Amino acid sequence: MREPPLKLGTAKADITPAAPVPLAGFAHRAGPFEHIAHRLYARIHCFEQQDKTGRKASALLVSADLIWWGSDLVSRLTPVLRERYGFQTVLLHATHTHCGPQTSSLFTDALGKPDPGYLEALEQRLLAGVEEALHNSEPVTVERGSGQCRIGVNRRKQSGGRIEMAPNEHGQIDPDVTVIRFRTSNGSVKALFVHYTCHPTTTGDNEISSEYCGVAMERIEQSLGDGAVGAFLQGCCGDIRPALVSDGAFYRGHRMEVERFGSWMTEEVLRINSLPMEELAPGDLTSKTLELPLGFDSVPSVELLEEQADRSDIHSEWACLLLREPHRRAESIPLEITRLDVAKDLSFVAFNAEMVVDYGLFVKQASHGTMLPLAYTNGMIGYVPTAEQLAQGGYESRDAVPYFGLPSPFRPQIENDIRNAISLITGKEEETHEPE
């Protein structure tokens, strides 16, 4: 008996702020944004399938031009989406652009302050988009193609006995571009997913931008025509940055560099799209989620926090936050991992964190290439580094901790715990790693 067909509804909602608000991601920017370089969108995809017994399964995947969906925002939106529309699975994914509004009130102000009016408008545009997508649902086939792009470079480099944020040409990256194409019965492209792994931090200008990934999706959609809705799916890019390098150091670009990287991505995706793709057999639209506590190395005392609060830097802001909200002085924080199966040999594995590239590569390895890792999904807890990175220090493992209001860096044992959890959720338990 053949598997029931997969149905897909799509919509594209403009989520550009109607009025100037502060942007998120860079501490050096002051005041609300000054210009709109590229508009922001939420690309909405509603999946539906009836199983052999007639029961309906449904899932929502949203890719938005945001830095992340704040955990506090997700906890408010997800119940509404589940109860109002009956979604069993909700994946609120962000491309991670650093040129959009803050969506969380859980972090220090240095990462950007959320605007309540914008968050209310974002929610309304999301719900309207879901309504639109549900009304154009139709059966689709699923195809996959792949290529490569060299926008990203590893940003952790050993220098003088310490880790600096500098281009490391020999460091780990994931250059793969994976394209997932959804076709209707008449052969037209209804949706096109593009999976890649690199921070959208080409520019630090104080202007709205969907960054290289948003520029690429706009051009790809225009090229496809017929109302095709794309989705950029960001991988585990915690330690991968755009390769804007001069004299061995990174520099920030402007609109021109954003457009250039967007063109590179567009060209590769359209090249892949022009070639024959692998058609994937239908499978069950299913999902599973597990929650893994990530242990902190230590919990700061009140005395230490009071001492730090007198400083005039990010550590003061961090200490005041932890004193004001003592529940933050916990021994662990939950990492949520969700697997969504869309077709046979195609699943997404989503994390509510800034995962470094090693974890994304492990997802691909553990699943034999059938699963794509998505960071920045269903919330944000901060950077999740490897054991080696925790020992080395550097931004992702230690320096970023105060910005996210975490009590301390993580324990090195988290890497084995995460690898075991990935092996479990990918169904490859026999490949698990024993904890040290």
Side-chain angles (χ1 to χ4, degrees), residues 68-278:
W68 44 59
W69 294 84
S71 297
D72 42 346
L73 179 60
V74 169
S75 66
R76 189 172 76 245
L77 288 177
T78 300
V80 174
L81 292 165
R82 287 179 180 273
E83 293 165 14
R84 186 175 298 183
Y85 305 110
F87 294 118
Q88 286 96 358
T89 309
V90 173
L91 295 181
L92 298 177
H93 176 71
T95 65
H96 196 49
T97 176
H98 284 45
C99 292
Q102 176 62 272
T103 63
S104 178
S105 60
L106 299 179
F107 309 132
T108 52
D109 289 348
L111 281 184
K113 297 180 181 180
D115 181 88
Y118 175 73
L119 294 182
E120 183 177 342
L122 174 63
E123 179 175 351
Q124 294 307 311
R125 292 172 192 174
L126 171 64
L127 296 177
V130 170
E131 298 270 2
E132 179 185 342
L134 289 172
H135 280 94
N136 65 56
S137 182
E138 58 187 318
V140 291
T141 55
V142 187
E143 301 165 298
R144 176 173 53 204
S146 61
Q148 289 201 338
C149 194
R150 293 279 173 169
I151 291 173
V153 65
N154 193 285
R155 69 184 194 182
R156 292 175 57 85
K157 188 172 185 179
Q158 190 86 242
S159 178
R162 63 189 298 272
I163 293 292
E164 294 183 349
M165 190 176 284
N168 179 1
E169 300 291 344
H170 304 291
Q172 193 84 269
I173 62 170
D174 182 357
D176 291 349
V177 178
T178 303
V179 175
I180 308 297
R181 187 168 65 194
F182 299 88
R183 285 186 182 273
T184 63
S185 57
N186 65 9
S188 65
V189 178
K190 187 167 184 77
L192 195 82
F193 290 0
V194 177
H195 182 274
Y196 187 65
T197 305
C198 179
H199 255 81
T201 50
T202 313
T203 179
D205 292 344
N206 193 19
E207 60 182 24
I208 289 282
S209 175
S210 56
E211 263 281 347
Y212 75 86
C213 33
V215 168
M217 295 318 302
E218 280 287 280
R219 294 177 178 178
I220 291 163
E221 288 169 340
Q222 289 170 9
S223 177
L224 293 172
D226 295 327
V229 177
F232 187 90
L233 303 179
Q234 186 63 263
C236 297
C237 69
D239 49 356
I240 308 299
R241 176 170 165 170
L244 290 176
V245 180
S246 177
D247 296 326
F250 284 121
Y251 68 92
R252 298 283 180 207
H254 305 286
R255 292 190 200 184
M256 181 177 71
E257 287 79 8
V258 171
E259 297 277 348
R260 172 155 54 93
F261 284 153
S263 293
W264 289 5
M265 180 62 64
T266 302
E267 289 169 7
E268 180 62 358
V269 171
L270 293 180
R271 184 191 71 82
I272 297 166
N273 183 64
S274 70
L275 300 173
M277 284 195 185
E278 174 193 9

Side-chain angles (χ1 to χ4, degrees), residues 31 276 392:
Q392 292 172 334

